[in-house]
Amino acid sequence: GAGVSQSPSNKVTEKGKDVELRCDPISGHTALYWYRQSLGQGLEFLIYFQGNSAPDKSGLPSDRFSAERTGESVSTLTIQRTQQEDSAVYLCASRPGGGNNSPLHFGNGTRLTVT
Amino acid sequence: AQKITQTQPGMFVQEKEAVTLDCTYDTSDPSYGLFWYKQPSSGEMIFLIYQGSYDQQNATEGRYSLNFQKARKSANLVISASQLGDSAMYFCAMRYHRDDKIIFGKGTRLHILP
């Protein structure tokens, strides 16, 4: 079946512009996560959605970052007034809601470059 | 505070040797799960192995095994008979069952030498 799909795969934007990143999770996966990975670094947790519950936004680095998800479908991560330090790969992952041992399934990421 | 620590930023290992990648975690929750992922240079994230906090036995998957020491809060990944294709970044991650949040360590870059 189809995996997690992210678009665009690459995005180059000018400092100060807004960008929107999209994630299509695996059908039926109720949990959706966004992470940020700077070059050669680990995965920084940004936000997590579980079904219709309020999202866990504890990892968003500033109020320039926001994310939405409608039900159990597509999610968008929006970065307003981009800064050069926002340059990174943004990874989306989904997993079934139930089952403690079900792993995250990752998309291929969106590589964001802010010039 | 919830935290994952991988103390080895980089490791060099001779092909066919076993290698242990360290992972320690900090949580006050009694129920959690631990994952290991591999990230080759292509960037994809590959799930390797899972260990639940209440599992009685250490997890194994082919050449991968997990040395789980709950009292020490460590979950080290052991790769037996390493291969050149094992060269990659390896990430340890923890899922908190209370709220389903999953956080990652900073990773260990493993280099397998021929």
Side-chain angles (χ1 to χ4, degrees):
Chain A
V4 177
S5 177
Q6 291 188 247
S7 61
S9 55
N10 281 283
K11 177 71 176 179
V12 180
T13 190
E14 292 180 352
K15 177 182 172 181
K17 300 280 190 183
D18 298 352
V19 295
E20 190 173 277
L21 312 180
R22 177 187 171 102
C23 174
D24 279 279
I26 292 173
S27 178
H29 282 194
T30 59
L32 187 149
Y33 301 74
W34 284 97
Y35 296 91
R36 179 169 71 175
Q37 187 175 27
S38 300
L39 187 61
Q41 301 300 310
L43 276 70
E44 175 189 4
F45 169 81
L46 296 178
I47 188 169
Y48 151 64
F49 296 88
Q50 171 62 276
N52 293 316
S53 302
D56 180 339
K57 304 179 181 180
S58 60
L60 294 179
S62 76
D63 58 7
R64 295 186 297 104
F65 288 72
S66 63
E68 292 184 347
R69 186 186 189 196
T70 305
E72 297 178 1
S73 61
V74 171
S75 175
T76 54
L77 176 69
T78 301
I79 309 173
Q80 295 178 312
R81 305 180 303 282
T82 52
Q83 304 295 313
Q84 288 185 330
E85 60 262 30
D86 299 334
S87 296
V89 175
Y90 290 81
L91 290 166
C92 175
S94 69
R95 64 189 293 273
N100 292 335
N101 62 347
S102 52
L104 289 170
H105 298 260
F106 281 86
N108 290 328
T110 293
R111 182 176 299 277
L112 176 65
T113 303
V114 182
T115 61
Chain B
Q2 300 166 336
K3 189 178 179 181
I4 299 278
T5 302
Q6 295 182 251
T7 58
Q8 307 149 310
M11 287 187 67
F12 290 83
V13 174
Q14 207 68 38
E15 188 181 10
K16 299 183 184 177
E17 290 184 353
V19 56
T20 297
L21 305 180
D22 294 343
C23 173
T24 58
Y25 55 92
D26 188 14
T27 181
S28 57
D29 291 344
S31 181
Y32 51 88
L34 296 152
F35 300 83
W36 276 91
Y37 281 83
K38 172 184 179 181
Q39 187 180 44
S41 56
S42 59
E44 63 183 308
M45 292 288 287
I46 301 168
F47 165 69
L48 297 178
I49 196 167
Y50 169 84
Q51 179 83 46
S53 60
Y54 292 119
D55 292 346
Q56 295 298 312
Q57 293 186 328
N58 287 344
T60 61
E61 285 288 347
R63 294 188 298 114
Y64 305 108
S65 61
L66 221 155
N67 183 2
F68 180 49
Q69 299 186 43
K70 192 171 182 177
R72 294 186 175 184
K73 294 186 177 179
S74 75
N76 298 339
L77 177 71
V78 180
I79 306 174
S80 64
S82 58
Q83 302 171 357
L84 295 178
D86 294 334
S87 294
M89 280 287 283
Y90 288 81
F91 294 101
C92 179
M94 180 163 60
R95 171 178 173 260
Y96 299 88
H97 292 177
R98 178 165 48 110
D99 58 10
D100 220 19
K101 184 174 179 176
I102 301 177
I103 63 170
F104 284 76
K106 293 188 181 299
T108 295
R109 184 171 295 281
L110 177 64
H111 304 269
I112 305 299
L113 305 173

